[in-house]
Amino acid sequence: MNEAIRNTAAQPLFNPLSPDFISDPYPAYARLRETEPMYLTPFKAYLASRNADVAMILRDRRFGKDFASRTIARHGPGIMEEPVFRSMSHWMLTQDPPDHTRLRGLVVKAFTARRVEDMRPRIQAIVDDSIDRVEKNGHMDLIADFAFRLPVIVICDMLGIPEQDRVIFFQRERTGGRLLDPVPLSRAEIDEANEGHKNSLAYFHKLFELRRREPGDDLTTQLVQAEEDGSKLTNDELCANIILLFGAGHETTVNLIGNGLLALHRNPDQLALLKSRPELMQNAIEEFLRYDSSVQTTGRVALEDIGEVGGKEIKKGDAVLCLLGSANRDPAAYPDNPDKLDITRQNIRPQSFGGGIHFCLGAQLARIEAEVAISTLLRRLPNLKIDDVVNPQWRPTFVLRGLKTLPASW
């Protein structure tokens, strides 16, 4: 199952966990767009690599999630008995209406544009504190010391996680990304994921008890109260979606900040331009999202016969993986050199946050966090240099694209 999908005997067309692909997936995406824009993989899922096809699939209600059938097709019939996958089946992210509508409705108010904008001073304070901690050292890891701290603290604030408990989240290994990859996991990887899930559950059960005794103005209190209502949320859904909110609330933003900083330092002309014209920052964030997306793919299943998409007949039950990273570099959507970082690029419409009813709840929060983080870093540490922009350490995951470490000095 985990073999390369081959175009010729010598040239892998798509091998998402190979070191070359993890380092730079974009040449493989270009081959897919040009030769097989709707490629059927050995695990019976199509890969949609062109922007127009991806945009249509994400927004067309004839496609849904059907998480269980997609997971069983990849791992075999026993997989849904594994605690971590059973929990994932309750995520709002993996649900179709009406359950998706009900679950998303319980948390959407926490992510309105006004509430997120009101968090800007708190975001600024966290960023300044992170820089204060390391400024005198002259060096730091831009992931662990900077990009990771901000979104973890913000999501802890939103979930009402007490200050004294937060150290456990800073110390935890970031190993969950493999769960989302479209290739089967080994038994050891499933066991590790189950153990991590058990530890998360143990913590969040304590948090639920705390918020039942001491309600607060936070998402955990809101969801605990919905669970007590009975008709709004089951206990399994409460546990699963708190874990989802915590993970989704920081993982992708860490990657957005890290990938954006690396892209800037690999393109010194763009770095100099952004330093001289800080008003370009919001547009630069959109270009970072397009250029090297934190999330590289998202899956759908055809809920009925669809007809031809990308030259292939898509029938009811067919699984499609939308390659967001490929769509973002499609010359048909970005004719002006899509492989170039251009912070002045006009009409950027990145697919990075998904689309349709599953469009990322935290999109605007991630944008603001990245905007404040990167603009403050450029202002306060203008001489910062990344130690190695040529061979950085990428995390060995495909769906979530991000760096393990990014050492820098000034």
Side-chain angles (χ1 to χ4, degrees):
M1 282 276 197
N2 194 6
E3 293 175 357
I5 301 162
R6 296 192 176 275
N7 188 24
T8 69
Q11 179 62 67
L13 188 59
F14 182 72
N15 184 6
L17 296 184
S18 74
D20 285 348
F21 187 95
I22 293 292
S23 173
D24 183 6
Y26 297 102
Y29 292 156
R31 290 196 296 274
L32 282 168
R33 288 193 305 269
E34 291 159 13
T35 61
E36 289 281 359
M38 190 66 76
Y39 190 89
L40 184 60
T41 69
F43 44 89
K44 304 304 178 196
Y46 286 97
L47 300 176
S49 53
R50 290 182 178 169
N51 190 289
D53 294 334
V54 167
M56 183 279 287
I57 293 162
L58 292 179
R59 291 157 181 80
D60 192 323
R61 292 293 188 97
R62 296 175 299 169
F63 288 92
K65 284 290 187 171
D66 198 3
F67 174 77
S69 71
R70 282 194 294 129
T71 307
I72 288 166
R74 191 178 305 152
H75 293 277
I79 194 65
M80 297 312 294
E81 299 307 309
E82 301 291 345
V84 69
F85 283 99
R86 199 160 60 241
S87 177
M88 288 168 70
S89 73
H90 294 292
W91 287 359
M92 70 184 80
L93 184 65
T94 63
Q95 295 289 321
D96 291 313
D99 287 332
H100 170 266
T101 314
R102 170 176 55 85
L103 293 170
R104 188 172 172 117
L106 292 173
V107 300
V108 70
K109 286 177 187 168
F111 293 93
T112 61
R114 172 172 285 185
R115 285 196 75 159
V116 168
E117 187 59 42
D118 286 347
M119 293 162 68
R120 192 180 283 268
R122 171 65 170 151
I123 292 168
Q124 184 66 64
I126 297 165
V127 170
D128 282 323
D129 178 65
S130 295
I131 296 174
D132 290 344
R133 287 166 177 260
V134 297
E135 189 170 12
K136 63 182 181 299
N137 301 340
H139 60 85
M140 70 166 150
D141 176 1
L142 283 167
I143 303 303
D145 298 324
F146 187 69
F148 184 66
R149 277 182 57 78
L150 169 62
V152 168
I153 293 171
V154 169
I155 198 63
C156 283
D157 284 353
M158 294 182 77
L159 293 176
I161 293 173
E163 289 277 351
Q164 65 270 22
D165 291 353
R166 297 182 183 189
V167 65
I168 63 172
F169 296 106
F170 288 120
Q171 294 171 344
R172 189 174 289 183
E173 285 287 314
R174 295 170 64 213
T175 55
R178 274 285 286 123
L179 281 171
L180 303 173
D181 284 339
V183 287
L185 278 70
S186 68
R187 182 68 249 176
E189 287 175 316
I190 293 171
D191 290 343
E192 182 185 17
N194 281 332
E195 185 65 23
H197 175 68
K198 186 172 85 174
N199 292 338
S200 293
L201 270 185
Y203 174 76
F204 284 114
H205 277 304
K206 289 180 190 169
L207 183 64
F208 300 153
E209 289 310 310
L210 174 66
R211 291 298 164 233
R212 287 186 180 106
R213 292 194 312 272
E214 302 173 24
D217 181 22
D218 56 68
L219 268 170
T220 302
T221 298
Q222 206 173 306
L223 291 177
V224 164
Q225 290 170 350
E227 184 225 13
E228 288 169 349
D229 182 319
S231 63
K232 292 182 181 174
L233 195 69
T234 67
N235 183 257
D236 286 343
E237 288 171 337
L238 169 66
C239 297
N241 283 285
I242 285 285
I243 291 171
L244 169 65
L245 285 164
F246 183 82
H250 77 277
E251 278 287 359
T252 53
T253 307
V254 176
N255 295 346
L256 170 57
I257 295 169
N259 296 2
L261 287 168
L262 177 63
L264 274 179
H265 284 263
R266 282 178 160 178
N267 294 272
D269 62 319
Q270 298 297 295
L271 177 60
L273 178 60
L274 191 54
K275 284 179 177 178
S276 66
R277 295 183 57 195
E279 72 275 10
L280 289 172
M281 182 57 73
Q282 286 188 354
N283 199 71
I285 298 300
E286 298 307 299
E287 177 69 344
F288 300 151
L289 286 162
R290 183 201 70 81
Y291 182 76
D292 203 7
S293 178
S294 303
V295 181
Q296 290 282 306
T297 187
T298 186
R300 296 289 189 273
V301 171
L303 303 178
E304 57 186 79
D305 290 346
I306 303 295
E308 189 178 299
V309 181
K312 296 290 171 71
E313 197 72 20
I314 304 299
K315 298 189 178 300
K316 181 178 180 179
D318 284 346
V320 181
L321 296 176
C322 294
L323 297 175
L324 308 176
S326 176
N328 285 340
R329 298 248 193 140
D330 187 346
Y334 300 98
D336 186 14
N337 197 352
D339 289 321
K340 180 179 186 296
L341 183 75
D342 179 4
I343 63 169
T344 66
R345 189 183 299 275
Q346 298 300 298
N347 303 314
I348 309 170
R349 297 176 303 281
Q351 304 283 2
S352 309
F353 290 120
I357 63 170
H358 289 283
F359 184 81
C360 175
L361 263 176
Q364 195 55 22
L365 177 58
R367 284 182 170 111
I368 291 175
E369 287 179 304
E371 177 194 331
V372 173
I374 295 174
S375 60
T376 306
L377 191 73
L378 297 187
R379 186 179 73 248
R380 290 194 52 187
L381 300 176
N383 299 319
L384 180 140
K385 295 277 188 295
I386 291 172
D387 294 359
D388 184 358
V389 298
V390 179
N391 295 302
Q393 281 194 35
W394 293 96
R395 293 173 69 198
T397 55
F398 160 53
V399 172
L400 297 180
R401 176 165 171 77
L403 294 146
K404 270 191 196 173
T405 63
L406 195 61
S409 49
W410 54 93

